[in-house]
Amino acid sequence: MKKNLTFIAMVAVALLSSCDSAETQKHNALQAQLTEKPKVRIATVKAEEVMQSEVYATTVEAEVKNNIIPNSPLRIEEILVEVGDYVKKGQKLVNLDASNLDQLKLQVENQTIDFKRVEALYKVGGASKAEYDNAKTQLEVNKKSLASRMENTVLVSPIDGVITKRNYDNGDMYGGQPILVVEQISPVKMKVNVSESLYASTNKGLDVKLRFETYGDEVFNGNINIVYPTINATTHTFPVEITLENKDTRVRPGMFGKATINFGTKSRVVVPDAAVIKQAGSGDFYVYTYADGTVKNNKVILGKRMGDRYELLSGIENNSQVVIAGHANISDGAEVEVVE
């Protein structure tokens, strides 16, 4: 009986020792997990010369737009062109009522004869200075009136261009709207508003790549023709006028397009997109940097995306080491283990 009790006691001690050993192993494993450093992968980032280009939406305008109107209300006898017609500078476009023109011509002819007679008498003392001056003034006034009436009877195009609008028919009385509109479409122009920060980099003659919805991905080459000298205090932008030669006249006023302006290059730090973290609920972006065994969370401002990389406008120094994997287990100031 005594031997049995001894055996039972030994078994109990063994069991207790076994349980204690298992608990110790579990505790030690948990402690190891708690003290194990998060594993991260890192990459070194460098500054590069990055093309500074911006894309702007724009609408095509005619280089010159002229409204064809008479200088007095007259009846329209004949419109000689139609919408879509190409016209040359000085080409006749509209004939207006000339019923009073012959009468005014006859009046000027008679006054010319009268003036010559008064002038002859004045030279020999047969007419006073006042009579001479009066006859001369009346003749000059009526000559100007005749020239104006003749100019107003036949309207011509002031430019080479295309007829884009016609508001009257033959026989109509002119009523205030332009009879015709002529637009010069070679070249054409476009305006865009550029950020104030790019003012120093924007120069006349800068190349512009143009694409228009009508022509898909086809590229047209334009350039900056005018840089406006003032900045809008509300929007902090300034207008820029772009010119496209448009010799084949394929691009027309009213077309929607996109203008890509290249402002040169700037040295920027470029990071892999895997390094960039977007903060939930905000528009802020962050990148973890690694140094001396710990990580630091840095707010960055993104520039353009370049494939699987981002240009940074600020936030990270050149030659920094950034975390590209393992973000889920780290926080600002955490000690980490770098793995390949």
Side-chain angles (χ1 to χ4, degrees):
M1 182 67 178
K2 188 175 180 181
K3 288 181 178 180
N4 289 340
L5 290 172
T6 303
F7 176 75
I8 291 169
M10 291 176 64
V11 170
V13 170
L15 287 172
L16 288 171
S17 298
S18 176
C19 289
D20 186 51
S21 176
E23 287 296 322
T24 301
Q25 288 177 0
K26 284 177 64 177
H27 176 75
N28 291 340
L30 181 60
Q31 285 297 110
Q33 287 180 2
L34 292 174
T35 57
E36 185 179 357
K37 296 177 182 179
K39 293 180 172 58
V40 297
R41 291 176 57 222
I42 63 173
T44 302
V45 295
K46 301 279 187 182
E48 300 177 14
E49 289 298 316
V50 179
M51 192 71 70
Q52 302 299 301
S53 60
E54 297 289 339
V55 181
Y56 303 91
T58 187
T59 302
V60 179
E61 301 176 28
E63 176 70 11
V64 180
K65 181 178 179 179
N66 285 129
N67 296 321
I68 306 302
I69 60 175
N71 57 22
S72 60
L74 294 172
R75 188 171 300 281
I76 300 167
E77 285 192 351
E78 186 180 13
I79 299 175
L80 304 171
V81 291
E82 295 292 342
V83 171
D85 288 350
Y86 286 87
V87 296
K88 294 291 186 181
K89 182 177 181 179
Q91 180 178 333
K92 292 181 181 180
L93 304 179
V94 182
N95 287 326
L96 299 173
D97 181 15
S99 58
N100 295 325
L101 191 60
D102 291 340
Q103 183 178 351
L104 187 55
K105 282 182 180 179
L106 181 60
Q107 184 177 348
V108 169
E109 289 173 1
N110 290 334
Q111 282 188 325
T112 301
I113 294 171
D114 288 342
F115 172 70
K116 288 181 177 180
R117 180 178 57 81
V118 172
E119 184 180 39
L121 290 173
Y122 174 67
K123 288 180 179 179
V124 296
S128 67
K129 181 71 164 57
E131 289 174 318
Y132 171 79
D133 289 341
N134 183 55
K136 183 179 181 181
T137 300
Q138 286 185 354
L139 178 60
E140 288 175 350
V141 168
N142 282 326
K143 278 184 175 181
K144 288 180 181 179
S145 179
L146 176 60
S148 176
R149 183 66 60 83
M150 291 177 68
E151 183 180 343
N152 198 48
T153 300
V154 178
L155 304 182
V156 301
S157 177
I159 59 171
D160 292 343
V162 63
I163 305 297
T164 59
K165 189 176 290 187
R166 171 176 170 164
N167 294 315
Y168 297 90
D169 290 322
N170 295 339
D172 287 345
M173 190 72 181
Y174 171 70
Q177 282 188 308
I179 298 175
L180 299 167
V181 177
V182 184
E183 298 187 38
Q184 183 180 340
I185 61 172
S186 180
V188 290
K189 64 184 180 183
M190 290 139 279
K191 287 183 181 178
V192 298
N193 291 316
V194 177
S195 171
E196 175 182 350
S197 62
L198 293 168
Y199 191 83
S201 303
T202 308
N203 301 301
K204 185 176 179 179
L206 210 60
D207 290 337
V208 182
K209 302 299 182 184
L210 299 160
R211 291 177 173 85
F212 303 96
E213 281 193 349
T214 305
Y215 299 115
D217 290 332
E218 184 176 355
V219 177
F220 296 76
N221 296 312
N223 58 74
I224 292 177
N225 184 48
I226 298 175
V227 178
Y228 285 73
T230 56
I231 309 294
N232 185 305
T234 303
T235 63
H236 295 286
T237 61
F238 61 96
V240 165
E241 185 175 293
I242 300 164
T243 297
L244 173 65
E245 286 191 12
N246 199 32
K247 290 181 179 179
D248 55 8
T249 67
R250 292 173 63 204
V251 177
R252 297 302 179 94
M255 281 185 175
F256 175 79
K258 290 186 177 181
T260 302
I261 303 178
N262 175 11
F263 296 98
T265 62
K266 283 191 176 180
S267 180
R268 302 286 198 200
V269 172
V270 178
V271 301
D273 58 2
V276 179
I277 306 168
K278 185 180 187 303
Q279 181 174 317
S282 76
D284 295 336
F285 294 89
Y286 292 84
V287 171
Y288 278 101
T289 53
Y290 171 84
D292 300 325
T294 62
V295 292
K296 178 183 177 183
N297 203 9
N298 304 270
K299 184 177 179 180
V300 297
I301 298 178
L302 300 184
K304 69 171 67 175
R305 186 182 182 106
M306 303 181 298
D308 60 353
R309 304 186 303 160
Y310 276 106
E311 168 197 18
L312 295 187
L313 304 184
S314 67
I316 300 294
E317 296 293 328
N318 187 26
N319 291 317
S320 295
Q321 291 183 309
V322 300
V323 176
I324 58 173
H327 298 95
N329 300 317
I330 60 175
S331 59
D332 190 36
E335 292 186 357
V336 297
E337 179 184 348
V338 176
V339 296
E340 293 298 326

